[in-house]
Amino acid sequence: MKNLEKYQKKLQNYIGKDRYQHTIGVMYTAAALAMAYHYDVDKAMLAGLLHDCAKNIPHEKKLELCKKNHIEVTDVEQANPFLLHAKVGALIAKKKYDVDDEEILHAIAVHTTGAPEMGTLDMILFIADYIEPGRDKALNLPAIREMAFQNMEHAVEKILYDTLNYLNQKSGRIDPITEYTYEYYKNRRNLVV
Ligand code: DGI
Ligand code: FE
Ligand code: FE
């Protein structure tokens, strides 16, 4: 994509070095998944590059931006404002990076919790964020990395299963959307097989 370099330069001013490295990992992993699933590679890369663009915005500021832009904030988001970097990221991508592709904006908006009935780009970004090469802490990474290139819905389900377990262990407040999305993909697999 012609403008990718311009986006990269700008993004580096707003996110830290480690986060930028993660972002580049997500960008190329999203590209690989797009190739495997016949999706537009440029769009996948742009979604990967910008997905965490709101990560360094202070919580108060994110809440303020939501209010100003009529973005709904749920109780769980109010209590865990870091979750809002996804929805606010979509807003920033639109307003500050002039992205008007609705698929890209939607993928950024749902990248943390996932959502039922995700489209191809939504799943590409959700999975790439979890499996990019710089990630090393999650359980079952080798299996999930393999699954990602065989069946994206199965990979999404497994990521959500492991994320819910992880959150239960550290007693993190769970967004009902994360839970609902897991149930949705589990039920779909049971229907399909
Ligand atoms: O922004 P990143 O760190 O690259 O990745 P992300 O946006 O997917 O955020 C990952 C974190 O989000 C991970 O620690 C698990 C957490 N998370 C996912 N769903 C929920 C959640 N945290 C809470 N409290 N509730 C959720 O439902
Ligand atoms: Fe994120
Ligand atoms: Fe990320």
Side-chain angles (χ1 to χ4, degrees):
M1 184 173 282
K2 310 129 237 118
N3 289 330
L4 220 49
E5 213 173 307
K6 190 183 82 190
Y7 288 116
Q8 288 179 355
K9 285 223 171 76
K10 180 165 174 169
L11 190 65
Q12 286 186 72
N13 298 322
Y14 290 96
I15 58 176
K17 201 163 156 255
D18 289 353
R19 178 65 40 185
Y20 185 70
Q21 279 303 115
H22 159 69
T23 282
I24 298 299
V26 175
M27 178 177 84
Y28 283 115
T29 306
L33 287 166
M35 291 171 198
Y37 292 101
H38 310 107
Y39 190 83
D40 185 321
V41 174
D42 288 340
K43 277 175 60 160
M45 288 180 79
L46 187 53
L49 184 65
L50 295 180
H51 82 284
D52 276 338
C53 68
K55 197 76 180 186
N56 281 17
I57 299 178
H59 292 341
E60 278 309 312
K61 178 83 184 165
K62 284 199 288 285
L63 288 161
E64 189 187 308
L65 281 168
C66 286
K67 196 162 174 200
K68 225 161 105 186
N69 292 278
H70 312 287
I71 295 172
E72 193 207 346
V73 176
T74 64
D75 290 352
V76 181
E77 287 168 338
Q78 189 80 43
N80 302 271
F82 91 90
L83 289 167
L84 287 172
H85 80 276
K87 286 182 185 174
V88 173
L91 176 78
I92 300 289
K94 187 178 177 132
K95 295 253 166 97
K96 303 283 183 197
Y97 293 84
D98 299 319
V99 174
D100 55 13
D101 185 297
E102 288 300 329
E103 284 182 351
I104 295 177
L105 299 176
H106 187 264
I108 295 174
V110 303
H111 86 263
T112 301
T113 57
E117 297 181 60
M118 281 191 277
T120 303
L121 184 58
D122 298 332
M123 290 195 282
I124 286 175
L125 183 58
F126 184 79
I127 294 169
D129 194 16
Y130 199 85
I131 68 168
E132 63 98 358
R135 291 274 199 218
D136 55 5
K137 292 203 177 57
L139 278 177
N140 304 317
L141 263 180
I144 293 174
R145 283 176 170 147
E146 188 177 349
M147 215 183 270
F149 289 90
Q150 292 164 344
N151 186 317
M152 282 209 287
E153 291 201 6
H154 290 179
V156 165
E157 181 194 338
K158 181 67 180 144
I159 290 169
L160 287 161
Y161 179 82
D162 285 353
T163 299
L164 287 168
N165 268 340
Y166 164 77
L167 290 171
N168 276 322
Q169 274 165 25
K170 66 159 211 161
S171 58
R173 181 112 180 255
I174 291 171
D175 191 316
I177 298 175
T178 307
E179 223 147 28
Y180 182 54
T181 305
Y182 168 64
E183 292 297 328
Y184 173 86
Y185 283 97
K186 189 177 77 176
N187 291 335
R188 263 181 75 83
R189 178 168 51 83
N190 291 340
L191 281 176
V192 173
V193 193

